[in-house]
Amino acid sequence: IPWIHLQQKSEMPKAMYTQWYAENSCIRNYYSEEEFEELFSKFDLNNNSILDQHELARLNMYLLLNIPRIGLKSLGDKEYGGIPPAIFRLKSLEQLNLSYTAITMVPYQAKNLLELTSLNLGHCPLLEGISGDVGLLPNLKSINLNNCPSLETPPQDIVGRGVASVKAFLKRIAGGFIECHRTKLMFIGLGQAGKTTLLNALRSEKKKTEKTEDVELTDGIDIIPWIVPVEHEGRKIDITYSCWDFAGQTVYYNTHQFFLSKQAVYVLLWNMRMGFEHAGLDFWLSSVACHCPNAPVIIVGTQLDQIPMPDMPEAELMEKYPQIKKFCYVSSTAGTNIAELEQTLTNVTMHHCSQMTMKIPKVWLSFENGILKERNEGRNIMEWSLLRKCAINNGIYDDSDIRLAVDFLNDLGTVQHFDTEFLRDRVVINPQWIVDVMAKVVSVNEKAIKENLGRFYHSYIPEIWKDYDKSLHQWMLKLTETFDLTFPLPGEKEKYNIVPCLLPETKPLNLPWPYLSEEEEIREKTILYKFAYLPSGLFNRAQARLFSQGFTDHDLLQFLWKKGSILKKNQHYALVRQLNDYEMIVSVQGPRPKNVLDLIHETLTTLISEAFDGVHYDYFIQCPDCVEKEGTKEPFLFKAELISRAYSVNAPFLQCTKFFHTVSIGELLRIMPDNKETEFDAQMQESISTLEEISRNIAQDVAILYCNGDLPSLPFNSSTTAENAAGMTVDPRNIHEDLKKAGYKW
């Protein structure tokens, strides 16, 4: 019996709830309509006739625990995971559907189901693991593991790659596995917060460091290993951290985003002498939240030997950022609370990092040892063919298995692999190498690019990357382009790439906007985007991606700066600007600006879904009546989320609060960027509006009806027009030209 699962929406209006009940006969057989209505009222805590995502979660848990289902009465079953043992004696069974059940695992006894072709385990919230023997079933073609939030084996990343990857992983587990007690430890924070000093204190035997006045600033990212022995559940284990020490200077922020990992613990440092208001905590917490929304964070205040314990709004920050697990206050030079911080780190790691209990194939670690041997011999990068040979030598033969192992080692920080068309043929086996490659482009020690207003002339490459093999220079340049750190400008006499994060900080004084004069056929449309916090690098990556998609004109490059640019596409001009740390705005001028605005919106939303998945934002569109009827330059802005909600509850219109226009939902959908949910309605409204616009511009409708017998006998040519053939009968074939010459528009 199912519970409520919404594909895209995060809330459910009462009308949708009632419809869901009507469409699910299993629920109707268990609850009457009145009983199900009472459940809505019970879980609609704020009594607004809408169940938000938290209220839905509580309702679903109620449905899970209060409707009889497999596994519910045997939650402690460690042998069969709540699955009736008789199922594993059905040796001719071909399809097994255990979706929406309370099972906790699929045991090794599943190996008896040799004829099984389909296994449906979708929507099992308590399912933690599947025996590796399932991967050995010869006829298994389909495994559904959608929406199993507790699943650890196989890992969610592998589930997302499909059935073949899941089977390959389980097959390897069946051949022998080991628990992985390794993860990345990411030290982040503003410059001079004490990241390097704290890492040195943690790794030292005395748990303290010497005075640090002359410590050199970190240039890019430093990667250092650290092994910590701990006792966990009555046994001694070693946690191996790959410590990434991120430079705190703002110039590096655009490169940091490429190395923030979901499988990591984050230590966010701030210098308590600055005060937490100036420590950039919101910036860093938002960056982690949008790239790695489930990664645990520990906030560490430094310089405790120089300042008393601060009055920190810990509860407020933890409510805003649930990823925060602990606040600590230390002095690295005095050693104050360093040992306690280490204990906190290991506790958070063991309890909040799923990979700590993940079972991985032993051959993967053998493969890793082979890679580390190559690294120790001085190799930094391997072609895929050589890496494949290394995998085969260590017992991994299938290409899909090799890719799974490489992805796993990528998450651990052993390798860096970029799975794009141009880059996938090489694997970086020394992550410090690739970090340095990226940092060289924006390094505080490399001034040539910044002094040339963000122009990375290709003639600079031999100097900037002088420490790297020349045969890799073009691959390295393509790497910066693939991740929107730079973008090329074709057609120039001297080739160069633009580095958006090194563009001038200030807006050009002579910025020509509006770019086009106000004419009858020229219109302007605007979208305002509001973020909970605009992640570092998002705007500059959007600039790079728009230019790479043809939004460019060489004459407009003089109006390109770090927080804005004028773009050109299909005879339309667009002004794209970052207003502050929370807002960006896009305005487009031209005959049909909505089309270009849709392209820019799609580019931005695609970038966010690919690289900034955890970011929270909404966008606002202009009130059409404010623009067309009032002619104001500052129209009321409708929130897109409000329009979508109004549409979902069948509201007929919304009202702007500036001039109090009443605007139909259909009209608002028409001017919103394309949305799959409302695409048909929007296209219909667009067609109606286009016809209405044509109708407004027509003074008279004229129909000319005639038959061939009534046509004049003279040949049809320009000499037969009424203007030069006075007295002749009007020729209907020439009426069009006659009216145009008389000054009428056709």
Side-chain angles (χ1 to χ4, degrees):
I1 298 178
W3 44 81
I4 299 171
H5 173 66
L6 301 180
Q7 293 292 338
Q8 295 178 334
K9 294 179 179 294
S10 59
E11 57 185 30
M12 173 175 270
K14 190 169 184 178
M16 188 184 298
Y17 177 87
T18 303
Q19 181 181 354
W20 185 87
Y21 173 79
E23 293 173 351
N24 285 273
S25 58
C26 295
I27 289 291
R28 295 201 308 274
N29 292 336
Y30 195 80
Y31 286 111
S32 68
E33 187 173 349
E34 293 76 15
E35 289 172 330
F36 208 62
E37 287 284 333
E38 290 176 4
L39 281 181
F40 186 94
S41 301
K42 178 179 180 179
F43 289 95
D44 182 16
L45 301 180
N46 51 13
N47 199 29
N48 65 348
S49 295
I50 295 176
L51 296 178
D52 62 28
Q53 57 183 344
H54 301 294
E55 293 167 338
L56 272 175
R58 294 188 185 96
L59 172 59
N60 282 335
M61 182 58 68
Y62 181 88
L63 296 177
L64 168 66
L65 298 177
N66 288 274
I67 297 178
R69 61 185 76 243
I70 290 176
L72 192 59
K73 292 186 177 181
S74 51
L75 290 177
D77 181 7
K78 295 185 178 180
E79 184 176 4
Y80 296 102
I83 302 174
I87 287 179
F88 303 117
R89 295 195 292 270
L90 303 174
K91 296 186 178 181
S92 297
L93 184 66
E94 295 183 2
Q95 297 185 13
L96 178 57
N97 186 350
L98 293 171
S99 62
Y100 293 100
T101 61
I103 64 172
T104 57
M105 70 170 182
V106 178
Y108 75 91
Q109 288 89 344
K111 67 182 180 181
N112 298 325
L113 306 177
L114 297 178
E115 301 300 320
L116 193 67
T117 61
S118 174
L119 177 60
N120 187 354
L121 301 171
H123 304 278
C124 292
L126 307 180
L127 179 64
E128 296 179 353
I130 301 174
S131 169
D133 295 277
V134 172
L136 301 175
L137 294 176
N139 296 305
L140 189 61
K141 300 293 189 297
S142 171
I143 306 177
N144 179 10
L145 291 169
N146 292 334
N147 295 289
C148 298
S150 302
L151 188 64
E152 295 179 355
T153 305
Q156 296 288 355
D157 286 347
I158 289 176
V159 171
R161 296 187 178 99
V163 177
S165 295
V166 170
K167 283 197 68 176
F169 179 85
L170 294 176
K171 191 182 299 183
R172 284 295 172 193
I173 290 291
F177 63 85
I178 189 171
E179 286 189 353
C180 174
H181 300 131
R182 298 166 56 184
T183 191
K184 289 181 180 178
L185 186 60
M186 318 294 255
F187 288 81
I188 57 176
L190 296 182
Q192 298 185 318
K195 297 181 291 295
T196 304
T197 306
L198 176 60
L199 177 55
N200 291 337
L202 285 167
R203 296 176 67 241
S204 71
E205 292 184 5
K206 297 180 179 179
K207 301 302 174 189
K208 61 187 293 187
T209 55
E210 302 299 325
K211 295 292 183 180
T212 58
E213 287 84 353
D214 299 324
V215 172
E216 188 175 335
L217 292 177
T218 303
D219 187 13
I221 303 172
D222 288 336
I223 305 173
I224 304 168
W226 179 36
I227 299 176
V228 185
V230 299
E231 186 168 324
H232 180 68
E233 296 181 350
R235 58 194 179 109
K236 293 183 178 181
I237 61 173
D238 286 340
I239 299 178
T240 301
Y241 290 108
S242 176
C243 303
W244 292 53
D245 180 6
F246 286 72
Q249 295 77 31
T250 56
V251 70
Y252 292 110
Y253 292 171
N254 281 54
T255 61
H256 288 354
Q257 59 186 296
F258 306 124
F259 304 104
L260 295 178
S261 173
K262 296 178 181 179
Q263 304 290 348
V265 177
Y266 287 82
V267 181
L268 171 54
L269 281 78
W270 64 287
N271 187 331
M272 292 190 291
R273 291 184 300 177
M274 299 174 60
F276 77 89
E277 301 92 342
H278 308 291
L281 297 184
D282 271 320
F283 166 79
W284 285 105
L285 288 167
S286 297
S287 295
V288 174
C290 75
H291 290 287
C292 321
N294 298 314
V297 179
I298 300 170
I299 296 183
V300 179
T302 61
Q303 315 292 339
L304 186 59
D305 58 324
Q306 300 180 31
I307 190 170
M309 188 80 74
D311 184 14
M312 187 79 166
E314 295 182 1
E316 181 181 331
L317 281 170
M318 293 183 80
E319 182 178 0
K320 185 176 181 181
Y321 302 102
Q323 292 172 266
I324 300 174
K325 304 305 176 187
K326 188 77 173 179
F327 289 85
C328 300
Y329 305 92
V330 304
S331 169
S332 299
T333 54
T336 309
N337 295 336
I338 298 297
E340 290 80 0
L341 174 59
E342 180 180 306
Q343 183 65 45
T344 297
L345 277 171
T346 56
N347 287 340
V348 168
T349 301
M350 293 306 300
H351 289 95
H352 296 283
C353 294
S354 60
Q355 69 269 29
M356 287 295 110
T357 56
M358 186 174 74
K359 298 172 182 177
I360 61 169
K362 289 182 178 179
V363 291
W364 286 10
L365 295 186
S366 299
F367 178 37
E368 181 189 36
N369 289 332
I371 291 174
L372 293 177
K373 182 179 178 182
E374 294 286 340
R375 184 197 297 179
N376 292 335
E377 292 176 357
R379 189 188 294 272
N380 293 309
I381 191 168
M382 291 179 70
E383 293 184 0
W384 185 264
S385 57
L386 292 177
L387 191 83
R388 185 175 183 276
K389 184 177 180 180
C390 178
I392 291 173
N393 290 338
N394 287 281
I396 308 176
Y397 306 102
D398 187 78
D399 280 347
S400 62
D401 288 2
I402 296 173
R403 293 192 180 279
L404 285 178
V406 168
D407 289 340
F408 170 75
L409 296 177
N410 185 85
D411 288 338
L412 283 185
T414 303
V415 303
Q416 288 288 140
H417 183 228
F418 305 101
D419 193 15
T420 65
E421 182 178 357
F422 189 84
L423 303 176
R424 66 168 59 101
D425 62 333
R426 290 182 172 92
V427 178
V428 178
I429 64 172
N430 182 0
Q432 185 68 64
W433 181 88
I434 196 67
V435 165
D436 294 341
V437 166
M438 303 283 269
K440 284 288 185 182
V441 178
V442 298
S443 173
V444 293
N445 300 319
E446 300 288 349
K447 299 180 180 179
I449 300 175
K450 191 163 188 176
E451 289 175 351
N452 281 281
L453 305 179
R455 272 66 172 170
F456 180 10
Y457 288 96
H458 292 190
S459 57
Y460 297 164
I461 290 178
E463 176 61 26
I464 289 178
W465 286 330
K466 61 186 176 184
D467 298 328
Y468 303 94
D469 190 335
K470 290 182 180 180
S471 65
L472 293 174
H473 284 179
Q474 287 304 309
W475 185 86
M476 291 153 62
L477 182 64
K478 190 66 178 180
L479 179 71
T480 68
E481 295 172 6
T482 300
F483 291 93
D484 305 314
L485 185 63
T486 76
F487 60 87
L489 288 176
E492 294 290 305
K493 291 182 179 179
E494 184 176 359
K495 291 184 178 180
Y496 66 88
N497 282 35
I498 295 289
V499 185
C501 64
L502 295 182
L503 288 167
E505 295 279 351
T506 56
K507 181 176 70 173
L509 295 176
N510 58 339
L511 187 69
W513 193 266
Y515 195 84
L516 300 174
S517 59
E518 294 187 5
E519 301 174 6
E520 186 176 343
E521 300 299 324
I522 298 300
R523 296 173 177 82
E524 181 174 328
K525 298 286 185 184
T526 296
I527 290 183
L528 174 68
Y529 296 88
K530 289 190 176 183
F531 295 79
Y533 199 95
L534 187 54
S536 173
L538 192 157
F539 182 79
N540 289 148
R541 289 191 69 176
Q543 280 182 305
R545 190 160 294 193
L546 287 168
F547 269 85
S548 67
Q549 292 178 352
F551 285 85
T552 183
D553 187 298
H554 289 282
D555 294 335
L556 298 175
L557 289 178
Q558 58 182 311
F559 307 116
L560 176 63
W561 74 104
K562 189 173 182 178
K563 294 189 176 181
S565 52
I566 294 181
L567 310 172
K568 183 181 180 182
K569 181 84 168 181
N570 299 336
Q571 304 305 311
H572 288 74
Y573 293 86
L575 176 61
V576 183
R577 291 176 292 157
Q578 178 180 339
L579 302 179
N580 48 51
D581 289 338
Y582 304 93
E583 297 176 317
M584 63 178 291
I585 190 168
V586 180
S587 298
V588 178
Q589 285 188 324
R592 299 185 68 83
K594 182 182 183 301
N595 295 344
V596 174
L597 204 59
D598 284 354
L599 289 174
I600 295 175
H601 179 78
E602 182 181 4
T603 299
L604 182 62
T605 54
T606 300
L607 174 62
I608 290 173
S609 65
E610 289 176 356
F612 301 87
D613 192 39
V615 70
H616 297 288
Y617 73 101
D618 205 341
Y619 61 91
F620 297 73
I621 61 173
Q622 298 167 311
C623 169
D625 287 355
C626 285
V627 175
E628 296 172 11
K629 294 181 180 179
E630 309 297 338
T632 178
K633 298 295 184 182
E634 297 182 357
F636 176 77
L637 297 175
F638 284 104
K639 190 176 182 180
E641 188 271 337
L642 180 63
I643 298 171
S644 297
R645 177 181 289 189
Y647 174 77
S648 69
V649 298
N650 298 318
F653 56 80
L654 290 174
Q655 188 173 52
C656 90
T657 58
K658 191 159 192 175
F659 293 98
F660 300 97
H661 299 120
T662 299
V663 187
S664 72
I665 296 300
E667 174 69 6
L668 291 172
L669 292 175
R670 180 184 70 84
I671 60 178
M672 282 179 68
D674 288 341
N675 183 316
K676 290 182 179 179
E677 294 180 10
T678 59
E679 187 174 353
F680 176 79
D681 302 84
Q683 289 180 355
M684 179 65 73
Q685 186 65 39
E686 175 77 21
S687 300
I688 293 172
S689 298
T690 301
L691 291 173
E692 288 176 345
E693 183 178 353
I694 293 173
S695 179
R696 285 195 297 269
N697 293 330
I698 294 177
Q700 296 291 334
D701 289 332
V702 178
I704 303 171
L705 306 176
Y706 60 90
C707 65
N708 289 334
D710 294 330
L711 291 176
S713 58
L714 290 177
F716 171 56
N717 55 53
S718 60
S719 64
T720 64
T721 61
E723 182 180 70
N724 58 19
M728 285 188 59
T729 304
V730 173
D731 190 332
R733 294 167 295 186
N734 292 333
I735 288 179
H736 183 195
E737 293 297 324
D738 292 342
L739 291 174
K740 283 176 62 177
K741 290 183 178 181
Y744 292 97
K745 289 186 178 180
W746 187 271

